[in-house]
Amino acid sequence: MFYMKKLFIAIASISLISCGTQLPEIKPDIITDSTLHDTDDPAIWVNQENTEESIVFGTDKETDGAIYAFDLNGKIIEEKTLRGMKRPNNVDVEYQVKLNDSVTTDILMFTEREREQIRLFSVPDMKPLDRGGFKVFQEKRENEWNFPMGISIYKSPKTGKAYAIVGRKNGPKTNYLQQFELVPAGDHIQFKLVREFGNFSGEKEIEAIAVDEELGYVYYSDEKVCVKKYYAEPDAGNEELSCFGKENFNRDIEGIAIATYKDGEGYILVSDQQQGTFNVFDRKTNEFLFAKNLGTTETDGCEVYTGYLNEKFPNGLFVAMNDNKNFYFYDLSKIVKAK
């Protein structure tokens, strides 16, 4: 009986460690100022001329919502913050996107769920480039099929064209996502639908979307099933390439961040929302490597940058949403090793 009791305790301990509850907590280097409502998803814009003046954008997901701009000390930059948004959900940035034959700009893009549209602004001057927004998913206005949620930008290394890849609150079992080409139109950008793709289990929803531009893949979280992988190039095929990670998550599979290093090396970091941890997968093989406890609660979105920013973040920056109206910033070397 004593032996069986010891065996049970040992098995329980192994189980707890494997699911992350015994992982040592990694403290954030910076906790941002608080938003008004409900943080959800971050994006990192790197100032190429002065990395110390880079900006972390983060959504505040409410009817009276906003895209907050934070400096690298986590302080709100009010003049860069976009207020008056109707439930902004996910956000992404891209560099040197064409406005016309002679002008390019860095861009910020996000979904505005309650207005059923995509928004697009220049960075860092925060000027609208979408003439008020672009409506999406209008073909079926019921069962939340028309509400955009996840978004990621893909800029093709092959053609230089930029694309928005957008998911929704609910939708069909196939062609759950839509991909739009960003078409230069002089002083603004137009959207052209070029592809529908992506399988959906129907179990919960698809929110987190991330693109590996260099390797040409798009990943998204089918929240109770797995991380799914497809080609990002619109003419490369719509077959599902992989469905991985199911056994490594407690329940909801959420935010995805891709840490990129030379020669295709790197990591895919994914939020295990109810477990309060992040699972780390190999960028090339998608094999599970390890989990880390970053002390966040109910994390939706996350983002990563692998280069030098300042003395506090010399090895890169990892940003995670925390369920207390804020975001946590970490020096990346606390989480993964450079490859």
Side-chain angles (χ1 to χ4, degrees), residues 229-285:
K229 177 180 180 181
Y230 288 78
Y231 290 116
E233 202 67 45
D235 61 359
N238 290 343
E239 66 270 25
E240 185 173 291
L241 303 175
S242 181
C243 177
F244 63 91
K246 179 178 177 62
E247 65 277 10
N248 306 114
F249 291 86
N250 180 14
R251 199 183 78 189
D252 289 0
I253 306 169
E254 284 284 355
I256 306 172
I258 302 173
T260 61
Y261 296 95
K262 63 181 181 180
D263 301 322
E265 298 289 336
Y267 307 93
I268 302 172
L269 300 93
V270 187
S271 169
D272 189 353
Q273 189 174 49
Q274 281 72 38
Q275 193 61 46
T277 60
F278 290 82
N279 289 328
V280 181
F281 300 85
D282 185 86
R283 182 186 174 201
K284 283 185 174 179
T285 66

Side-chain angles (χ1 to χ4, degrees), residues 51-329:
T51 59
E52 293 189 359
E53 295 183 359
S54 299
I55 301 171
V56 176
F57 293 101
T59 61
D60 190 29
K61 190 174 61 176
E62 188 52 79
T63 295
D64 179 27
I67 305 294
Y68 280 82
F70 302 95
D71 64 23
L72 294 181
N73 291 313
K75 302 300 181 184
I76 294 170
I77 310 171
E78 188 58 43
E79 65 270 23
K80 306 293 185 187
T81 294
L82 304 173
R83 298 189 182 275
M85 302 299 164
K86 297 293 186 183
R87 202 171 183 83
N89 210 116
N90 283 36
V91 62
D92 201 6
V93 299
E94 186 57 86
Y95 301 88
Q96 298 300 297
V97 174
K98 278 189 175 184
L99 278 177
N100 53 55
D101 290 339
S102 59
V103 177
T104 62
T105 184
D106 297 349
I107 62 171
L108 171 87
M109 184 181 295
F110 58 94
T111 52
E112 192 178 15
R113 194 198 302 183
E114 290 182 5
R115 289 190 172 121
E116 304 169 16
Q117 64 184 6
I118 301 169
R119 297 304 317 270
L120 179 62
F121 289 78
S122 60
V123 180
D125 54 355
M126 312 310 294
K127 303 297 184 184
L129 300 174
D130 56 10
R131 295 194 169 178
F134 178 77
K135 298 289 184 182
V136 291
F137 303 128
Q138 298 296 290
E139 75 279 7
K140 184 176 180 181
R141 304 181 55 76
E142 59 185 44
N143 299 325
E144 300 180 315
W145 282 34
N146 54 314
F147 289 154
M149 289 181 64
I151 196 165
S152 191
I153 306 171
Y154 170 59
K155 187 178 179 184
S156 170
K158 182 173 69 173
T159 67
K161 294 180 178 180
Y163 301 90
I165 299 174
V166 191
R168 42 186 148 187
K169 178 68 175 174
N170 194 8
K173 295 293 184 69
T174 59
N175 294 337
Y176 192 94
L177 286 82
Q178 292 186 343
Q179 184 165 352
F180 297 90
E181 181 184 343
L182 305 187
V183 181
D187 62 349
H188 68 287
I189 288 176
Q190 297 176 344
F191 292 78
K192 175 185 176 183
L193 180 64
V194 295
R195 178 165 73 143
E196 296 180 287
F197 72 101
N199 295 327
F200 173 46
S201 66
E203 291 291 318
K204 190 175 180 186
E205 61 192 25
I206 293 169
E207 182 174 8
I209 305 171
V211 171
D212 188 330
E213 285 189 347
E214 180 187 350
L215 299 186
Y217 298 121
V218 55
Y219 296 89
Y220 63 83
S221 295
D222 195 338
E223 290 191 10
K224 285 191 175 182
V225 178
C226 65
V227 179
K228 295 187 175 182
K229 177 180 180 181
Y230 288 78
Y231 290 116
E233 202 67 45
D235 61 359
N238 290 343
E239 66 270 25
E240 185 173 291
L241 303 175
S242 181
C243 177
F244 63 91
K246 179 178 177 62
E247 65 277 10
N248 306 114
F249 291 86
N250 180 14
R251 199 183 78 189
D252 289 0
I253 306 169
E254 284 284 355
I256 306 172
I258 302 173
T260 61
Y261 296 95
K262 63 181 181 180
D263 301 322
E265 298 289 336
Y267 307 93
I268 302 172
L269 300 93
V270 187
S271 169
D272 189 353
Q273 189 174 49
Q274 281 72 38
Q275 193 61 46
T277 60
F278 290 82
N279 289 328
V280 181
F281 300 85
D282 185 86
R283 182 186 174 201
K284 283 185 174 179
T285 66
N286 301 153
E287 293 179 359
F288 175 76
L289 299 176
F290 52 83
K292 288 293 178 77
N293 173 14
L294 304 187
T296 58
T297 303
E298 291 286 328
T299 296
D300 278 300
C302 56
E303 189 55 283
V304 65
Y305 174 70
T306 58
Y308 175 92
L309 288 177
N310 60 13
E311 290 185 359
K312 188 174 290 290
F313 303 108
N315 307 290
L317 171 64
F318 184 76
V319 179
M321 165 263 176
N322 180 55
D323 194 26
N324 192 26
K325 303 179 182 180
N326 54 25
F327 295 90
Y328 284 8
F329 296 180

